[in-house]
Amino acid sequence: MSAQDFLVELGTEELPPKALKSLGDAFLGGIEQGLKAAGLGYAKAQVFAAPRRLAVVVEQLATQQPDRSVNLDGPPVQAAFDTEGKPTQAALGFARKCGVDLEQIDKSGPKLKFSQTIPGQPASGLLPGIVETSLAALPIPKRMRWAARREEFVRPTQWLVMLFGEEVVDCVILAQKAGRESRGHRFHNPDNIRISKPSTYLEDLRSAHVLADFAERREIIAKRVAELAAEQKGTAVVPADLLDEVTALVEWPVPLVCSFEERFLEVPQEALITTMQDNQKYFCLLDANGKLLPRFITVANVDSKDPAQIISGNEKVVRPRLTDAEFFFKQDKKQKLESFNERLKNVVFQAQLGTVFEKAERVSRLAGFVAEQIGADPARAARAGILAKCDLATEMVGEFPEMQGIAGYYYAINDGEPEDVAQALNEQYMPRGAGAELPQTLTGAAVAVADKLDTLVGIFGIGMLPTGSKDPFALRRQALGVLRILIEKQLNLDLADAVAFAVDLYGAKVKSEGLADQVLEFVFDRLRARYEDEGVDVAVYLSVRALQPTSALDFDQRVQAVQAFRKLPEAAALAAANKRVSNLLSKAEGRVPGSVDNALLQEAAEQALAKAVADAEVALANAGSYREALERLASLREPVDSFFEAVLVNAEDAAVRSNRYALLAKLRGLFLGVADISVLG
């Protein structure tokens, strides 16, 4: 079957830059899906996206669908005709389903049958529908109309190129009649550009100062920005999303170095970087020590004969932005950071839970409690807690919300607060996302844990539990943050005590009955997904959860020990034995003695097990970790197996029977010191 290349390019007014890449990918995906549904084979499909165009080139697309056969079975002949030979509704319905008269249905077999060969349609007739369907399915939150037209799209359309081989596909899509004329760069080459065939599309546009390939533009920008930064003896800050956005803004990228006055470097560099990135789409430069240089890189969309004019224009534009940041910083420093708490007394944290200042007071007290448990300075943690929310009322954070915590750090340092107290004001929000940075200071860890527990307890305490689709207070992220801090920083905090303390701090604002248990269950439930992501079997998690440890660090150490134990050759047998022991003990009549009477040990196998259990008790007392404890308990496999092979637990003699139950309880207790191993069986 013959094949030809296919090109579709839809020209528009400037497309939204943050959405350009996703629009292009969706356009390609829709066309590929349409081609496959139509049975049209092809070698390769590629998307091209630039500020004023979305295009897809399909290489070696089949010129026609293959013929296909349709074979349908209908009702039995007996059911298709009555005793007089007249067709029933079953027969007539089958004919309608096949789209033919009943006379064209095969009645020779036991069932009605219909067979038909459907000739394939030419691809040129199918392509307009495929393109239209793909465009209609693009992820566009809000479509717009233009002029007096009824058509809707993300931006007004300007032209349409559709070529199959060297021929134009005759159609009209989104008010544009297909042709072979595209448009070049808006300034360098505004005239129409003739596209001779799909294979020359990229080069035809390149000659008109348009780089249609998104990936090519992105690579050019990234490489040139890195080169210019190195020439300035610095490195560029190039967030991936900013690079994508800048790539979507230009057709012919020309990066240029600009500068700003050094006096602005007295302002927190995070604020300067934020405003240059978010508002101006500039790439900032850092020196070898990570300090901001008075330089930035802009990416022009023209190859100017006088680039100094472009540089000067950008420097003029950025100056007011930096001046605003400087003004806010100087204004905020005119008063002590703590004084901003007065404003927070009028800012609601949550209608039922009070103000942000009241939250800061609770966080301060809870942070002091947590600090004492994890070896931090309670006074420093309490001080950081009362300052924690102050910067929310500053001019800087009001203008740059991303500066919360960061602004607090700079203002605390300006006020002469201890370094760890100042750092804690930023670290309270850590980790800011999955896998993100954790607090470096113990003071920061205490405040971060306190802030998150306060939110969890408060929101649960007023019954605003997260659902599968809604979690407005990010309680899952808060819980995971607490767990990550405690486990990864090796901090042994009893969460039951900390949560109970947090509940008391709220007083009558929350329904305290059962609240602590509810919060703890929610927090430790988050560990299940964490361990599954790490490849830990859910049975391992459940074996530890059965014991309900209340320290996240202790919980994790037990899980790691059980995970290692499962790899031992003795693990499966001991898990099965534990399950058997658990079942036996659950059926024991009366109270099981707390100790074993050696005089009642009759069989050699039970005597051997009793000695092994006693030896294990001594060994476990000297074990340095849960992992070592389980490794030592693995040696019990042989005496346990021998015991169950040779000894009848439910002996007729009540004293002997009771003593054997006591021995099994001792055995089970050894394992329960780490986890409920029976869950693994």
Side-chain angles (χ1 to χ4, degrees):
M1 185 177 289
S2 62
Q4 298 187 91
D5 295 340
F6 169 65
L7 162 68
V8 54
E9 181 197 57
L10 179 64
T12 68
E13 295 296 335
E14 274 72 8
L15 293 161
K18 290 185 178 179
L20 181 64
K21 191 171 185 297
S22 61
L23 287 173
D25 292 342
F27 189 33
L28 172 64
I31 287 178
E32 288 194 290
Q33 184 178 355
L35 294 176
K36 288 172 184 174
L40 292 170
Y42 59 94
K44 177 185 175 184
Q46 187 174 358
V47 65
F48 301 105
R52 296 193 297 151
R53 69 201 74 224
L54 292 173
V56 169
V57 171
V58 182
E59 296 179 14
Q60 293 300 293
L61 175 63
T63 57
Q64 187 165 329
Q65 289 177 312
D67 295 344
R68 57 192 179 95
S69 297
V70 175
N71 297 295
L72 297 175
D73 284 340
V77 172
Q78 290 180 343
F81 299 95
D82 61 19
T83 54
E84 297 178 5
K86 294 181 179 179
T88 64
Q89 285 300 318
L92 296 172
F94 180 62
R96 283 196 301 271
K97 177 183 176 182
C98 297
V100 296
D101 294 331
L102 187 60
E103 287 72 21
Q104 295 174 260
I105 300 294
D106 182 2
K107 312 174 190 68
S108 60
K111 288 183 177 182
L112 298 186
K113 285 188 176 182
F114 177 70
S115 299
Q116 184 183 36
T117 298
I118 301 175
Q121 298 181 49
S124 57
L126 299 170
L127 289 172
I130 291 171
V131 171
E132 278 191 301
T133 301
S134 180
L135 289 170
L138 292 185
I140 303 171
K142 191 172 183 180
R143 294 171 183 261
M144 63 183 296
R145 292 180 183 176
W146 57 98
R149 300 187 180 281
R150 299 184 60 84
E151 292 84 3
E152 295 181 346
F153 196 55
V154 61
R155 290 293 185 269
T157 60
Q158 296 294 328
W159 72 89
L160 176 66
V161 175
M162 276 185 70
L163 299 177
F164 193 30
E166 298 186 14
E167 300 298 321
V168 173
V169 178
D170 186 21
C171 64
V172 176
I173 296 176
L174 290 174
Q176 301 300 325
K177 183 170 176 56
R180 63 169 67 252
E181 289 194 335
S182 179
R183 296 186 191 174
H185 192 282
R186 189 183 287 278
F187 306 112
H188 284 303
N189 209 321
D191 297 332
N192 289 349
I193 303 299
R194 178 184 171 84
I195 308 297
S196 54
K197 53 186 176 180
S199 59
T200 65
Y201 173 69
L202 283 181
E203 293 310 313
D204 289 341
L205 287 183
R206 192 186 305 274
S207 67
H209 278 78
V210 174
L211 298 179
D213 189 339
F214 187 96
E216 181 185 3
R217 295 198 312 279
R218 193 180 195 275
E219 184 179 350
I220 288 172
I221 293 170
K223 182 179 179 181
R224 185 57 182 149
V225 165
E227 291 172 351
L228 291 174
E231 290 173 11
Q232 299 298 318
K233 296 181 171 50
T235 55
V237 181
V238 187
D241 55 350
L242 177 61
L243 180 57
D244 282 344
E245 189 174 356
V246 172
T247 302
L249 284 166
V250 295
E251 292 181 322
W252 194 259
V254 181
L256 300 168
V257 176
C258 309
S259 62
F260 59 85
E261 293 96 321
E262 291 197 19
R263 67 182 176 87
F264 290 121
L265 294 178
E266 296 178 9
V267 180
Q269 69 179 46
E270 293 87 350
L272 303 181
I273 292 172
T274 294
T275 191
M276 285 193 282
Q277 287 182 348
D278 293 355
N279 297 315
Q280 303 304 134
K281 315 306 175 191
Y282 296 152
F283 298 106
C284 302
L285 303 184
L286 304 179
D287 66 16
N289 297 317
K291 298 298 182 183
L292 186 66
L293 291 170
R295 306 278 189 278
F296 62 90
I297 296 174
T298 185
V299 180
N301 191 31
V302 292
D303 196 358
S304 176
K305 295 178 181 177
D306 187 7
Q309 294 292 331
I310 297 176
I311 292 170
S312 174
N314 280 277
E315 291 175 348
K316 286 178 182 177
V317 167
V318 80
R319 191 173 296 115
R321 296 282 187 184
L322 302 185
T323 301
D324 285 348
E326 180 185 47
F327 172 77
F328 297 136
F329 184 56
K330 288 182 176 179
Q331 283 294 108
D332 289 337
K333 288 198 300 179
K334 289 180 179 179
Q335 60 188 100
K336 292 285 188 180
L337 179 61
E338 189 172 6
S339 68
F340 287 99
N341 267 330
E342 287 301 313
R343 297 185 188 179
L344 296 179
K345 291 179 181 179
N346 299 314
V347 178
V348 174
F349 162 56
Q350 199 283 332
Q352 295 172 253
L353 301 178
T355 66
V356 175
F357 175 67
E358 288 173 318
K359 177 176 176 63
E361 288 185 310
R362 291 192 304 271
V363 169
S364 175
R365 293 180 61 187
L366 183 53
F369 175 86
V370 171
E372 194 168 359
Q373 312 305 310
I374 64 174
D377 185 325
R380 294 271 184 94
R383 178 61 179 166
I386 203 64
L387 296 176
K389 307 303 175 184
C390 288
D391 69 354
L392 297 179
T394 63
E395 300 291 337
M396 178 69 80
V397 174
E399 181 68 17
F400 306 110
E402 304 87 349
M403 289 290 292
Q404 66 176 24
I406 300 169
Y409 166 80
Y410 284 102
Y411 296 145
I413 291 295
N414 183 68
D415 290 349
E417 298 286 349
E419 176 69 23
D420 63 328
V421 171
Q423 282 187 241
L425 305 189
N426 182 32
E427 292 176 340
Q428 67 175 305
Y429 299 107
M430 296 180 180
R432 286 182 164 88
E437 182 184 4
L438 295 176
Q440 295 299 305
T441 67
L442 282 177
T443 302
V447 177
V449 169
D451 184 42
K452 292 166 178 58
L453 289 181
D454 176 79
T455 300
L456 283 161
V457 168
I459 302 304
F460 267 83
I462 58 174
M464 293 181 64
L465 279 61
T467 64
S469 59
K470 292 183 179 180
D471 186 9
F473 286 89
L475 299 184
R476 293 182 180 87
R477 182 164 59 82
Q478 306 270 19
L480 283 169
V482 169
L483 293 168
R484 276 198 62 205
I485 291 170
L486 297 178
I487 292 172
E488 294 178 32
K489 292 188 70 66
Q490 301 280 293
L491 303 177
N492 195 15
L493 173 69
D494 189 317
L495 281 172
D497 293 343
V499 169
F501 192 89
V503 172
D504 290 342
L505 289 175
Y506 269 104
K509 280 182 167 51
V510 297
K511 296 179 181 178
S512 58
E513 186 178 352
L515 176 57
D517 290 340
Q518 189 181 26
V519 172
L520 285 172
E521 183 177 3
F522 178 80
V523 171
F524 283 104
D525 275 349
R526 309 278 74 74
L527 276 176
R528 179 170 183 159
R530 173 190 169 100
Y531 289 128
E532 286 179 353
D533 290 343
E534 293 176 358
V536 175
D537 192 278
V538 67
V540 173
Y541 161 80
L542 292 174
S543 73
V544 176
R545 186 71 187 273
L547 272 60
Q548 296 188 320
T550 52
S551 162
L553 178 62
D554 181 58
F555 196 115
D556 184 68
Q557 290 171 341
R558 291 172 187 264
V559 164
Q560 302 308 328
V562 176
Q563 181 73 352
F565 171 75
R566 289 198 77 186
K567 298 175 183 177
L568 300 177
E570 301 89 351
L574 285 171
N578 263 271
K579 193 167 188 177
R580 184 174 181 181
V581 169
S582 178
N583 290 335
L584 284 167
L585 291 174
S586 68
K587 298 173 183 176
E589 297 179 0
R591 188 179 67 84
V592 175
S595 59
V596 177
D597 185 348
N598 290 331
L600 293 174
L601 299 172
Q602 299 177 346
E603 305 286 344
E606 65 179 325
Q607 292 169 358
L609 179 60
K611 183 178 185 311
V613 168
D615 290 344
E617 286 181 321
V618 174
L620 292 186
N622 300 317
S625 66
Y626 292 126
R627 179 174 296 198
E628 185 182 344
L630 286 178
E631 287 173 352
R632 294 191 179 190
L633 289 175
S635 64
L636 293 175
R637 176 185 174 177
E638 187 175 334
V640 167
D641 287 349
S642 298
F643 175 85
F644 281 117
E645 287 175 7
V647 178
L648 177 65
V649 176
N650 290 314
E652 291 186 11
D653 187 313
V656 173
R657 181 172 66 249
S658 183
N659 196 53
R660 287 173 179 171
Y661 274 111
L663 176 57
L664 292 179
K666 282 279 189 184
L667 171 67
R668 177 130 171 85
L670 290 176
F671 284 93
L672 287 176
V674 181
D676 186 353
I677 301 301
S678 69
V679 175
L680 305 178

